[in-house]
Amino acid sequence: MTNNTDTTDLTLVLAATGKTGRRVADRLTALGVPVRRGSRSAEIPFDWDAPATWAPALDGVTSVYLVFSPDLAVPGAPEAIRGFTDAAVAAGVRRIVLLSGRGEDEAQACERIVQDSGLEWTIVRAAWFAQNFSEDYLLDPVRGGEVVLPAGDVPEPFVDIDDLADVAVAALTEDRHAGQVYEVTGPRALTFAEAVDEIAKATGREIAYVQVPVDAYAAVLKEHGLPDDVTEFLSYLFGTILDGRNSRPQDGVQRALGREPNDFADYAHTTAATGVWNT
Ligand SMILES: NC(=O)c1ccc[n+]([C@@H]2O[C@H](COP(=O)([O-])OP(=O)(O)OC[C@H]3O[C@@H](n4cnc5c(N)ncnc54)[C@H](OP(=O)(O)O)[C@@H]3O)[C@@H](O)[C@H]2O)c1
């Protein structure tokens, strides 16, 4: 294994206060790699909506963990990714690891911008995160004992983002991942109902899964005051992307790390032990 990171390298980790960025930044720090944590509230702030923040955040940086917020599939993402990669080239960045999503034409268009940037690149193309159930919008429903979603019998190979972060860190610190597209998934596809069932088993609690039509789901989100763009994006994810195109598990974790990815049941047991799902 070649590790070409030396102590003069500085890695900018975007979305460093988020689910994957925090893990990537913590792992790099533990390895002794100097990290600049990208966030709108950082000392040197980084804001996708304020391009003037990009060059200061990139100053002195050699590698970037590139996470676009909220998602590469939203309008304006390609322009932002192009502007950011241009700024990265101008700043002397050598390596970019892009977090992308599976089965989204818009995200794959952004991947091509990174691939054509002239920078050394790795794409980490991720399945739905298992941690959406414990660190994001599905946490409260799990705690409340009822998960209501417009997802039926289409299975998804949820990825444990501890695996995703291991892959991203390997790509940021080892030369052999340059030019690789890693589709990172779990080893097994589960329906959302089956995923909730695994969590119920791991916690010893009853958690109901209720499937609703996409339109009804969008109406409820709107009623709860979610912004239109968030409602539209979630409807797009469940109504368009979750159609079976991403159901087959892929070998990205195995190829990048030489080991199998964590199973959803392992994630559920480990997470249940933290008490996060206790009511
Ligand atoms: N969830 C999934 O299942 C899934 C699957 C595949 C890919 N993805 C991709 O994962 C990415 C999200 O990563 P995550 O889940 O690790 O993040 P997250 O937990 O959703 O946290 C959002 C992060 O984005 C940052 N952020 C929000 N608005 C920003 C802005 N205008 N400028 C700069 N930073 C901003 C926040 O930082 P501050 O608030 O501190 O600025 C925070 O660190 C998205 O690109 C999504 O497409 C998600």
Side-chain angles (χ1 to χ4, degrees), residues 15-21 39-41 46-49 67-72 99-101 126-129 132 136:
T17 57
K19 294 186 294 299
T20 71
S39 158
R40 288 167 295 179
S41 58
F46 180 89
D47 188 344
W48 281 111
D49 298 326
V67 179
F68 185 72
S69 299
D71 192 280
L72 291 174
L99 173 60
S100 183
W128 292 51
F129 300 166
N132 290 335
D136 212 312

